[in-house]
Amino acid sequence: MKRFAALLDSLAYQPQRNGKLRLIEAYLRDTPDPDRGWALAALTGNISFKHAKAGLIRGLAESRVDPVLFGLSYDYVGDLAETVALIWPAKPGANRAPELSEVIETLNAASKADIPRLVESWLDALDPDGRWALIKLMTGALRVGVSARLAKTATAALGGQEPDEIELVWPGLEAPYENLFAWLEGKAERPSGIARAPFRPVMLSHPIEDRDLAQLNPHDFAAEWKWDGIRVQAVSDHGEKRLYSRTGEDISAAFPDVMDLLPDDVALDGELLVFREGAPATFNDLQQRLNRKTVTKPMLRDFPAGIRAYDILHQGEDDLRPLNFRERRARLEALLTTAARDRLDLSPLVPVTNWDDLQTKRSNPPSPAVEGLMLKRWDSAYLPGRVRGEWFKWKRDPHLVDAVLMYAQRGHGKRSSFYSDYTFGVWKGAELVPVGKAYFGFTDEELKEIDRFVRNNTENKFGPVREVTHTSETGLVFEVAFEGLARSARHKSGVAMRFPRINRLRWDKPPRDADRIETLEAMLA
Amino acid sequence: MRAEQILRTTPAGLYCPRGDFYVDPVRPVARAVITHGHADHARAGHGAVLATPETLAIMASRYGAEFTSNRQAAAYGARNTINGIDVTLVPAGHVLGSAQAVIEVSGKRVVVSGDYKRRQDPTCAPFEVVPCDIFISEATFGLPVFRHPPAEEEIAKLLRSLKTFPDRCHLVGAYSLGKAQRVIAHLREAGYDAPIYLHGAMQKLCDLYEALGVRLGDLRPAMDMMKTPLTREVFKGAIVLAPPSALNDVWSRRLGDVVTCFASGWMRVRARARQRLVELPLIISDHADWDELTETVQEVKPGALWVTHGAEEALVHWSNSIGIPAMALNLVGYDEEGAGETPPAAEPAA
Ligand SMILES: [Zn+2]
Ligand SMILES: [Zn+2]
């Protein structure tokens, strides 16, 4: 438990992706089985306990600490797990600290009545970091900024493998993954034969600009709409059905309505969308269904989800990925003429004659749920990752608004000496209301200029945040680019931007000439 | 004799009417007893100052030799008399030269402990328990969530991080009086003998510690290295010490890719560490944690406990609950952060 606690602790403070990878890899290398496997299960979100809840932890703490002191401390710290971890009185002569595997195996086997006593004895035996890790593990929210994909990438590095190799075997594995580590360390064969409905690494595209098109021959490419949902992979395999996000996260549980649609024994690549009368709705609607572990009946009724299919990777016993796009497309069309149903349909191709014609079509998409065009080489095999020269995304031009810098926050890591995270706003009547936050889109040179502006025009400081002068006469105007807009009750302005970034610095423009909230509201309609 | 006749609170700080002197006054007074050199306790401009020789040297280095017209050096344990009142300084274990002021009037003994800790510190003499009638304690970390781990473990954490990130400079924020030298001394104890680079604001006090006999090993000014074309190479995998205010400042940009570390008792609480954008918090404190505070009160067994600054409420509640009557003095002018880093006007901001 000690090592696992140290890992969580360092991950929580590590802002860089590479730094996190290094920490996880070092942990997996130095920690024996089965502990490291349980840690991997925890990091990939594959552990949960029925009977261990936050209320139980609080109750234990209040039985051991003076309630006045507990109250004063909780007020100060503000987080229950951390307050309990820190305030828990050390017990000299307590048992040795438990190993991670011991905690997990015991909790899985214990009856509800035994759990308080067990947890209490562990809290006695652990140090504050260990107690914090234990409480985090038990209550199921690690929140250390590690995705399942990141944890798997670090695991792959252990054996010099590509992360996608892990994905292929992953669905057939069970914690604590001893066979996986044995394979990665060259002590055993690749785990196989047990995987059902595995995730297959997704083929990704490169962005392309109008001016780059001249170098490509339009006859080499198929074009299709890029739908504005989330890219998914739907797999059915001998009765087992799974839905994966683009990064291989299993999101099946939240989309039972989609699982019901899948034909037998296929792996499809497509866009997850909410459908209304056979037509895809905007991302705004899909958003209601995202980031939920489960789904309610009203959700299913009001926001029915489905898949618009782009590609087919597997059918029956055949791996179709080595085939070219033309051949795969034929297989997909054949499948969906017989198996098509409401909310599972084919993403139509857009005829390509020349680039100018296609550009006209791109500017007049058939649906608000289109965010651009995809160009795919007819002869492209389905390859993992971002393969150069095969697939391109040609996005619709982003929306642009002029907004005023209101607050600036220090960045992390290499940027910690710069004010690099910006909150900007637009006019609503005579005042500015924040409409978004962005921390990229500018060059290093521009970052230095903005940083200087922030330091020289600070009105207030709140911890790492500075309020920057923003009157109608004085302030810095950003041209902000973004992909879409959603209604948001959380923001005072009532709107939230998707993928905002700083497009241009408008030193020339006085804040009074920045955009007004009405402009954004019109985009929502 | 009532307690208030021995010592009472005034706007300038704790005052002894019989001896006509103040302890750690926050404004200029005719006669002061100074417990230690942190800026919020040791201010310039008093008529006469009684303190340990080390504290006097620290004050002279910070404010210039003219910081007072009358210095009275008091060695640990030696009995001094101020206007007929006995004042003895005994070690407080806080920083080099730090002392508790033991004041005796008509057979009653009051101990003003100043800032103190009970942990091992290679740079200063350990705290001594003096039984007394009134014990005056700080409470910077006066909540039971503050329990500092052993400093050796935190130093080991730093050395481990250097191994995990050998290409990154480890920039350690530490208060320039006491904490900086203690971190260096612990690093040396752990066998780290590479050069340690210093921000300009730390140099003078490190030199003074060396002159007063505290060995700190190979220390180099970071600024010198910043002028060479090899800057980034030099600082890869090196330890650089800087005052906390310089951690996220423009100065640190020249060090390349840094792991920002901060040595402070406040690092115990995650939100505090994140707020300062710290990547490697090092929980090393020169103030007593909750256990040290409560154990000290129990060992000293005073007739009454007075609490000066910090989280007084919890300590007062606890003391009353074990039968030692306690009250908060609500003194103003002391740094609640326990840093003693409010830069005095005379010190150049570097
Ligand atoms: Zn101090
Ligand atoms: Zn103090």
Side-chain angles (χ1 to χ4, degrees):
Chain A
M1 196 73 196
K2 211 174 164 50
R3 279 193 218 189
F4 178 65
L7 173 68
L8 286 195
D9 193 52
S10 50
L11 286 172
Y13 290 114
Q14 174 54 254
Q16 300 175 355
R17 183 176 183 278
N18 270 335
K20 286 181 198 274
L21 284 173
R22 295 264 283 279
L23 290 167
I24 299 172
E25 194 193 330
Y27 169 86
L28 294 175
R29 197 180 299 286
D30 300 341
T31 309
D33 292 319
D35 270 24
R36 58 178 172 176
W38 289 119
L40 182 59
L43 290 171
T44 51
N46 284 305
I47 288 185
S48 71
F49 306 105
K50 273 199 297 284
H51 307 304
K53 293 276 149 22
L56 162 86
I57 308 285
R58 185 175 187 150
L60 286 174
E62 284 174 338
S63 73
R64 292 282 289 263
V65 182
D66 178 330
V68 173
L69 295 179
F70 185 86
L72 288 169
S73 299
Y74 190 17
D75 278 353
Y76 178 85
V77 177
D79 174 85
L80 181 70
E82 190 168 3
T83 308
V84 174
L86 293 177
I87 207 170
W88 193 264
K91 195 174 185 184
N95 293 339
R96 79 188 158 74
E99 296 302 331
L100 176 61
S101 48
E102 204 177 327
V103 168
I104 289 172
E105 285 156 16
T106 313
L107 277 180
N108 277 333
S111 71
K112 191 174 177 184
D114 287 337
I115 289 191
R117 191 187 48 78
L118 278 169
V119 174
E120 190 171 4
S121 72
W122 289 330
L123 290 172
D124 279 337
L126 290 163
D127 67 3
D129 286 343
R131 292 193 285 263
W132 179 72
L134 174 70
I135 298 169
K136 289 272 189 190
L137 182 73
M138 284 177 52
T139 51
L142 296 184
R143 292 185 208 287
V144 291
V146 174
S147 67
R149 176 73 177 176
L150 189 80
K152 289 175 196 166
T153 304
T155 310
L158 204 59
Q161 292 286 349
E162 289 300 314
D164 297 327
E165 291 295 311
I166 308 283
E167 299 290 1
L168 277 180
V169 297
W170 188 259
L173 301 178
E174 263 182 45
Y177 314 114
E178 274 146 326
N179 52 349
L180 172 69
F181 290 112
W183 166 52
L184 289 170
E185 290 176 342
K187 294 174 198 147
E189 288 297 296
R190 182 174 197 258
S192 67
I194 35 177
R196 281 250 191 270
F199 172 71
R200 293 169 176 85
V202 168
M203 181 157 174
L204 301 170
S205 59
H206 281 275
I208 192 164
E209 305 286 336
D210 301 6
R211 60 175 181 276
D212 301 329
L213 285 168
Q215 294 154 37
L216 304 177
N217 182 347
H219 301 293
D220 295 341
F221 287 88
E224 63 184 322
W225 299 113
K226 183 172 178 353
W227 298 94
D228 191 11
I230 65 166
R231 181 94 177 273
V232 289
Q233 187 176 113
V235 188
S236 70
D237 182 4
H238 295 84
E240 175 90 39
K241 292 180 177 181
R242 286 179 196 274
L243 187 66
Y244 295 102
S245 74
R246 188 179 102 150
T247 55
E249 229 114 350
D250 187 337
I251 53 172
S252 315
F255 295 95
D257 46 347
V258 176
M259 308 311 289
D260 288 345
L261 303 170
L262 295 186
D264 291 334
D265 300 318
V266 290
L268 299 176
D269 178 335
E271 197 81 12
L272 181 68
L273 295 156
V274 163
F275 282 80
R276 294 247 155 74
E277 282 136 29
T282 62
F283 190 79
N284 222 343
D285 286 302
L286 179 64
Q287 200 139 39
Q288 311 300 319
R289 294 282 306 268
L290 299 180
N291 303 319
R292 292 169 189 275
K293 285 238 153 93
T294 54
V295 62
T296 61
K297 278 228 172 71
M299 278 281 159
L300 290 171
R301 185 192 60 221
D302 297 340
F303 301 96
I307 290 178
R308 187 150 275 197
Y310 295 133
D311 213 326
I312 182 166
L313 315 185
H314 204 93
Q315 190 171 29
E317 299 305 313
D318 302 332
D319 184 353
L320 307 184
R321 289 175 294 173
L323 304 184
N324 65 40
F325 180 71
R326 193 185 294 277
E327 294 162 321
R328 294 199 309 278
R329 179 77 194 184
R331 298 281 284 256
L332 181 67
E333 286 175 6
L335 171 74
L336 290 181
T337 42
T338 58
R341 48 202 83 182
D342 249 4
R343 297 183 286 116
L344 172 63
D345 63 12
L346 186 68
S347 175
L349 291 184
V350 182
V352 184
T353 46
N354 59 62
W355 296 132
D356 285 344
D357 174 54
L358 200 60
Q359 171 133 24
T360 313
K361 288 175 176 146
R362 188 187 67 135
S363 312
N364 300 286
S367 153
V370 163
E371 58 164 345
L373 280 167
M374 292 295 302
L375 305 176
K376 298 178 175 174
R377 244 179 225 287
W378 283 112
D379 61 5
S380 59
Y382 195 96
L383 299 167
R386 230 174 274 280
V387 188
R388 204 153 276 286
E390 299 286 305
W391 288 11
F392 297 97
K393 60 179 164 208
W394 191 19
K395 282 213 175 178
R396 202 176 55 190
D397 295 329
H399 305 288
L400 297 175
V401 291
D402 288 332
V404 184
L405 171 63
M406 298 176 71
Y407 302 93
Q409 184 170 357
R410 284 184 189 278
H412 282 282
K414 283 182 191 173
R415 281 181 168 191
S416 64
S417 72
F418 291 97
Y419 285 89
S420 63
D421 295 13
Y422 310 116
T423 301
F424 44 82
V426 297
W427 294 104
K428 181 178 193 173
E431 73 169 340
L432 284 164
V433 285
V435 288
K437 260 184 131 170
Y439 46 89
F440 66 96
F442 36 81
T443 64
D444 286 354
E445 263 325 297
E446 287 173 325
L447 172 60
K448 282 185 194 157
E449 289 168 23
I450 306 173
D451 181 72
R452 199 172 314 128
F453 179 84
V454 168
R455 290 172 193 272
N456 292 337
N457 292 276
T458 299
E459 298 284 322
N460 272 306
K461 293 185 192 176
F462 317 95
V465 176
R466 288 187 182 208
E467 184 182 359
V468 185
T469 310
H470 50 270
T471 65
S472 60
E473 296 311 313
T474 314
L476 173 56
V477 177
F478 291 145
E479 182 180 272
V480 177
F482 58 98
E483 295 306 312
L485 216 51
R487 285 184 203 287
S488 164
R490 283 191 300 122
H491 296 80
K492 191 178 168 194
S493 61
V495 296
M497 288 179 174
R498 284 185 58 209
F499 199 53
R501 66 265 186 198
I502 310 296
N503 205 47
R504 217 149 40 108
L505 306 182
R506 297 297 306 266
W507 296 105
D508 55 310
K509 202 163 193 173
R512 63 169 182 275
D513 293 344
D515 276 303
R516 312 192 58 80
I517 189 75
E518 290 80 15
T519 313
L520 293 179
E521 280 163 355
M523 289 181 192
L524 280 173
Chain B
M1 163 156 296
R2 301 212 347 268
E4 288 71 22
Q5 291 173 280
I6 307 174
L7 214 55
R8 63 171 190 239
T9 60
T10 73
L14 281 172
Y15 176 61
C16 173
R18 287 286 202 89
D20 190 23
F21 64 86
Y22 291 81
V23 183
D24 292 350
V26 296
R27 342 180 145 158
V29 299
R31 182 166 276 283
V33 172
I34 303 293
T35 60
H36 67 286
H38 276 150
D40 53 332
H41 295 254
R43 294 167 197 255
H46 306 309
V49 171
L50 182 138
T52 62
E54 294 87 352
T55 298
L56 291 173
I58 289 164
M59 291 177 79
S61 137
R62 288 195 142 172
Y63 304 120
E66 303 302 307
F67 72 91
T68 180
S69 46
N70 182 353
R71 297 190 208 183
Q72 194 177 346
Y76 287 136
R79 181 168 289 222
N80 312 278
T81 314
I82 305 178
N83 296 328
I85 302 296
D86 284 340
V87 179
T88 311
L89 298 182
V90 302
H94 176 53
V95 297
L96 182 62
S98 67
Q100 313 173 66
V102 180
I103 303 166
E104 282 165 291
V105 180
S106 318
K108 287 254 183 191
R109 185 187 290 155
V110 179
V111 173
V112 185
S113 58
D115 292 336
Y116 66 96
K117 71 171 175 291
R118 307 297 301 273
R119 305 302 176 96
Q120 184 257 349
D121 180 343
T123 68
C124 67
F127 181 93
E128 278 175 26
V129 172
V130 180
C132 57
D133 299 290
I134 297 170
F135 184 63
I136 303 183
S137 174
E138 54 136 333
T140 303
F141 293 113
L143 281 171
V145 287
F146 290 108
R147 294 200 162 89
H148 311 320
E152 297 73 33
E153 278 179 20
E154 300 301 291
I155 293 293
K157 220 159 81 178
L158 173 59
L159 294 175
R160 226 172 16 248
S161 175
L162 274 170
K163 265 194 198 140
T164 313
F165 300 107
D167 293 340
R168 302 174 69 191
C169 171
H170 283 60
L171 173 62
V172 182
Y175 302 118
S176 49
L177 170 58
K179 187 66 61 62
Q181 297 79 17
R182 182 173 172 214
V183 167
I184 296 169
H186 280 310
L187 279 165
R188 299 309 187 203
E189 278 183 338
Y192 184 82
D193 50 17
I196 293 174
Y197 297 91
L198 300 179
H199 181 278
M202 316 217 117
Q203 191 68 50
K204 240 169 44 174
L205 283 165
C206 286
D207 290 347
L208 181 63
Y209 264 58
E210 282 271 358
L212 292 172
V214 181
R215 296 270 82 91
L216 300 174
D218 187 355
L219 302 181
R220 302 183 189 180
M223 194 53 92
D224 289 358
M225 297 298 154
M226 286 177 165
K227 289 173 189 147
T228 76
L230 291 171
T231 303
R232 302 267 159 133
E233 289 307 310
V234 172
F235 291 119
K236 272 187 181 173
I239 296 180
V240 177
L241 256 70
S245 56
L247 276 189
N248 302 117
D249 209 355
V250 254
W251 176 84
S252 69
R253 288 177 195 168
R254 286 183 271 177
L255 299 171
D257 184 14
V258 300
V259 177
T260 307
C261 319
F262 189 6
S264 161
W266 296 111
M267 294 298 103
R268 180 83 272 181
V269 176
R270 280 159 212 282
R272 295 286 292 243
R274 289 227 191 87
Q275 194 192 12
R276 303 207 65 146
L277 301 169
V278 169
E279 187 176 328
L280 184 68
L282 301 170
I283 310 159
I284 302 178
S285 173
D286 285 332
H287 290 266
D289 68 3
W290 176 257
D291 291 334
E292 293 168 71
L293 289 171
T294 54
E295 277 160 25
T296 302
V297 172
Q298 282 167 308
E299 283 178 47
V300 170
K301 284 199 204 66
L305 172 70
W306 294 359
V307 184
T308 54
H309 56 297
E312 306 96 315
E313 203 179 344
L315 192 61
V316 167
H317 166 84
W318 168 85
S319 183
N320 284 323
S321 78
I322 62 157
I324 296 176
M327 65 172 192
L329 294 183
N330 299 316
L331 290 184
V332 292
Y334 298 96
D335 186 359
E336 294 289 308
E337 294 283 290
E341 279 295 310
T342 326
E347 196 176 57

